[in-house]
Amino acid sequence: GEPIINESKCIGCVKCVKVCPAQAIEMFFTPEEQKILDEIMKQGAPAVEEVDAEAAALAKKLAAYRGVWVFVEQTEGEAAKVSWELLGEGAKLARALDVPLSAIVIGEKVEHLCKEAFAYGASKAYLIDAPVFKYYRTEAYLRAVNNLIEKYKPEIILMGATGLGRDLAGAVATVVGTGLTADCTGLAIDDKRNLMQTRPAFGGNIMATIMCDKFRPQMSTVRPHVMAMPEHDPQGSGEIIRESCPVKEEEILVKVLDIISDKKTDQVDVAGAEFIVSGGRGMMGKENFAMLQELANELGGVVGASRSAVDAGWMPQERQVGQTGKTVRPKIYIACGISGAIQHLVGMQDSDVIIAINRDKEAPIFEVATYGIVGDLFQIIPAITRKLRELKQ
Ligand code: FAD
């Protein structure tokens, strides 16, 4: 409807115009009002030299930070794959900025991870190796990362958007006093050396590019499988910079007493699977997912689902693909009875090959599909399974 403007209160500051996310507000001034505003602007605007001095001070502050860092997340000496994916992406940023790509390795007996990081493209690794860092605890790791930042001043830090990465990145950004963009799906460098951090916003309806142009380091988290794995070159080498961090066990309030693995009833790893057969609302019922399981078995893959199928109770939440589910990047993704809402697409559109089966030829899933089959899934899926079995004989 028509917006209601309280004219006695509106001072024409135009703030509402600037903050309206839909850019739906415009403000017009009469020529007389415009004249008054111009006068005020002239009086209030800082002198040109002042602005230049401010810009120069900012440029100097930012220029003190150089280099791209990737935090290597590890549990009991084993790295999370997302860290290597980030090294692949970090290498592109480092090339664009003409700076080194470094890995941050923190833990106990984790030096081998520095070598792994070199194999995935890092040329330096900052290593903090001590018993106090055996298990992840926010306080200890926060202090270790902060010490490194203070000493070496990187311009970019990337972390995986895992439970650990989200926790650590948020804590570091808060203490350092810089910006953090979570769950980025795209990273690039602009012409002023700023990091352009792209991520879905407003429920995935728009892609927002977020900048942190007045503070350093620029920090981003990226979910697993969003970025491609770089090549592994066992010959890759680099420099290990050993650092100590004066964190004492008695200063850390959190103690790890025992590690209990969370063995869930549903052990299927959708995010890591190479072949995924996903079903949506078009599957019409829980029992029909057996048909998808049969096809998945032939491919050596797993069954995934859209949110509608999960909400209907046909599949457990762990199987959901999309913005509020898993991000996947399999060799083949077969979408059965899935319309292709943006929130689903952001979770699977980087799959190597996408095969969509849908009876509606206008369904948006076909826009991202490598191969599209328009027709009734209840006929098509068993036919594909049959054919695969024939081929195997
Ligand atoms: P529908 O959109 O109902 O599509 C069903 C499709 O099946 C139709 O295209 C129809 O033509 C086809 N079909 C029906 N019968 C047959 C048949 N016999 N043969 C062949 N085709 C048939 N969704 C996700 O998937 N993952 C998420 O993580 C996610 N997160 C969200 C987060 C937010 C904040 C919001 C607002 C939404 C989110 N959604 C997510 C929901 C998303 O917007 C869609 O509602 C959902 O993906 C639709 O699921 P669907 O494609 O299975 O169902």
Side-chain angles (χ1 to χ4, degrees), residues 345-367:
L345 299 187
V346 293
M348 47 62 77
Q349 61 194 356
D350 289 325
S351 306
D352 293 348
V353 171
I354 297 171
I355 302 171
I357 305 168
N358 199 303
R359 66 180 173 197
D360 171 12
K361 69 178 189 339
E362 306 291 338
I365 191 78
F366 288 126
E367 284 168 32

Side-chain angles (χ1 to χ4, degrees), residues 158-304:
L158 308 179
M159 296 193 191
T162 56
L164 189 161
R166 283 169 205 262
D167 181 65
L168 182 61
V172 170
T174 308
V175 173
V176 173
T178 190
L180 165 69
T181 307
D183 293 346
C184 295
T185 54
L187 297 170
I189 303 293
D190 79 352
D191 54 357
K192 295 193 185 76
R193 299 183 70 90
N194 287 315
L195 180 62
M196 297 191 284
Q197 309 165 98
T198 303
R199 56 154 300 153
F202 291 110
N205 289 322
I206 62 160
M207 296 303 281
T209 297
I210 296 164
M211 319 279 288
C212 173
D213 56 357
K214 295 198 173 54
F215 297 92
R216 291 290 182 271
Q218 303 160 95
M219 295 186 61
S220 321
T221 64
V222 179
R223 286 204 214 175
H225 307 288
V226 170
M227 304 299 180
M229 267 298 268
E231 289 207 3
H232 183 267
D233 172 10
Q235 308 297 327
S237 65
E239 180 196 358
I240 299 180
I241 300 148
R242 279 163 227 277
E243 283 290 330
S244 57
C245 176
V247 179
K248 294 196 187 73
E249 183 57 48
E250 54 275 21
E251 295 166 355
I252 307 299
L253 298 175
V254 175
K255 306 288 171 204
V256 177
L257 303 179
D258 195 7
I259 307 244
I260 304 157
S261 74
D262 62 337
K263 289 216 179 337
K264 295 200 183 106
T265 42
D266 184 49
Q267 281 281 330
V268 169
D269 175 21
V270 178
E274 294 202 328
F275 300 97
I276 300 174
V277 185
S278 271
R281 204 198 302 268
M283 294 306 298
M284 308 306 273
K286 190 173 186 164
E287 61 288 357
N288 296 327
F289 275 77
M291 191 165 80
L292 299 186
Q293 189 61 56
E294 280 184 42
L295 175 54
N297 289 348
E298 290 308 313
L299 295 166
V302 304
V303 176

Side-chain angles (χ1 to χ4, degrees), residues 298 383-393:
E298 290 308 313
I384 299 176
T385 312
R386 241 188 346 261
K387 192 76 196 170
L388 284 171
R389 283 181 186 149
E390 273 171 34
L391 289 172
K392 276 189 186 165
Q393 275 166 9

Side-chain angles (χ1 to χ4, degrees), residues 281 306-308 320-324 339 343-344 358 376-377:
R281 204 198 302 268
S306 74
R307 179 158 149 180
S308 298
Q320 185 181 314
V321 172
Q323 190 186 315
T324 39
S339 61
Q343 295 89 353
H344 189 80
N358 199 303
D376 181 10
L377 65 89

